[in-house]
């Protein structure tokens, strides 16, 4: 069985495009995971994407996670609510001054609490200043991402509110896979 999936690509081409969200009330902090940890990154990936069919990294080995996380210009920024991981944003520096927001999202229990807009705003700002932390990568000229019709219902609106503009739309047929949850049987 297959489903039709629409993928939208969005970008900012200047730091002036940023439209930050308000900082939510409470003890919400965003911290960079500076030590590459395949275990922690896989936890974030499955906890955030398990209910929206993120499956592309499920088959990655420990060594593949290590290699990915150790690449220059790959950064993971984690939102914490009173010390508990609530979501994350993963950045990847690319050729020509582009930085992709490769993954972004919240663990389901933290959605709808205004953390997502703040985390995205913070991640976008870190994408724009990535060259300051890693001068060998050069200055960021563009921040981009893609989202699709399998993502949460508020994803596209959040990106547009943060100042992203649509630059491409594609539609394709994909195999319809069950949402795996953060571990087999979760969320059932």
């Amino acid at each position: 069985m297959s489903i039709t999936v629409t993928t939208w690509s969005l970008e900012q081409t200047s730091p002036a495009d940023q439209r930050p969200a308000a900082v939510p009330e409470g003890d919400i902090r965003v911290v960079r995971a500076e030590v590459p940890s395949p275990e922690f990154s896989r936890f974030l990936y499955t906890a955030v994407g398990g209910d929206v069919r993120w499956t592309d990294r499920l088959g990655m080995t420990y060594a593949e996670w290590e290699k990915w996380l150790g690449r220059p210009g790959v950064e993971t920024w984690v939102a914490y609510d009173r010390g508990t991981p609530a979501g994350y944003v993963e950045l990847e520096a690319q050729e020509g001054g582009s930085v992709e927001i490769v993954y972004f999202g919240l663990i389901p229990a933290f959605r709808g609490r205004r953390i997502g807009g703040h985390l995205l705003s913070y991640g976008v700002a870190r994408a724009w200043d990535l060259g300051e932390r890693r001068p060998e990568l050069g200055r960021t000229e563009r921040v981009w991402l893609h989202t699709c019709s399998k993502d949460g219902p508020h994803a596209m609106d959040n990106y547009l509110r943060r100042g992203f503009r649509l630059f491409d739309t594609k539609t394709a047929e994909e195999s319809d896979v069950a949402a795996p949850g953060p571990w087999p049987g979760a969320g059932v």
Side-chain angles (χ1 to χ4, degrees), residues 93-154:
Q94 299 173 337
E95 296 286 322
S98 285
V99 175
E100 181 182 0
I101 295 176
V102 182
Y103 287 98
F104 161 75
L106 297 176
I107 293 170
F110 295 91
R111 294 177 189 155
R113 296 168 55 192
R114 304 203 176 275
I115 298 170
H118 172 61
L119 175 59
L120 180 59
S121 298
Y122 199 94
V124 170
R126 298 302 65 81
W128 281 112
D129 64 21
L130 182 60
E132 294 172 25
R133 289 184 303 287
R134 301 294 304 257
E136 73 276 14
L137 298 174
R139 198 174 103 208
T140 301
E141 302 289 335
R142 172 180 179 247
V143 177
W144 75 283
L145 58 85
H146 61 268
T147 188
C148 75
S149 53
K150 296 187 297 185
D151 282 340
H154 305 291

Side-chain angles (χ1 to χ4, degrees), residues 20-178:
V23 177
E25 291 184 25
D27 184 15
I28 306 296
R29 298 173 193 202
V30 182
V31 178
R32 181 173 166 214
E34 293 189 47
V35 177
S37 170
E39 297 91 346
F40 186 51
S41 289
R42 190 176 194 285
F43 157 75
L44 291 168
Y45 175 83
T46 60
V48 169
D51 70 329
V52 289
R53 298 185 176 112
W54 288 4
T55 59
D56 57 312
R57 287 189 174 179
L58 292 179
M60 285 176 61
T61 65
Y62 187 90
E64 289 169 330
W65 277 98
E66 235 176 1
K67 183 177 179 182
W68 171 258
L69 297 169
R71 293 180 55 213
V74 171
E75 293 186 349
T76 303
W77 292 85
V78 183
Y80 291 89
D81 181 356
R82 293 167 286 159
T84 302
Y88 79 114
V89 59
E90 183 180 279
L91 308 176
E92 178 199 19
Q94 299 173 337
E95 296 286 322
S98 285
V99 175
E100 181 182 0
I101 295 176
V102 182
Y103 287 98
F104 161 75
L106 297 176
I107 293 170
F110 295 91
R111 294 177 189 155
R113 296 168 55 192
R114 304 203 176 275
I115 298 170
H118 172 61
L119 175 59
L120 180 59
S121 298
Y122 199 94
V124 170
R126 298 302 65 81
W128 281 112
D129 64 21
L130 182 60
E132 294 172 25
R133 289 184 303 287
R134 301 294 304 257
E136 73 276 14
L137 298 174
R139 198 174 103 208
T140 301
E141 302 289 335
R142 172 180 179 247
V143 177
W144 75 283
L145 58 85
H146 61 268
T147 188
C148 75
S149 53
K150 296 187 297 185
D151 282 340
H154 305 291
M156 178 66 95
D157 187 51
N158 192 14
Y159 298 131
L160 295 173
R161 284 186 196 197
R162 302 294 74 79
F164 283 91
R165 292 177 307 281
L166 182 67
F167 72 87
D168 191 32
T169 302
K170 293 180 182 171
T171 303
E173 293 296 313
E174 292 184 6
S175 295
D176 188 15
V177 298

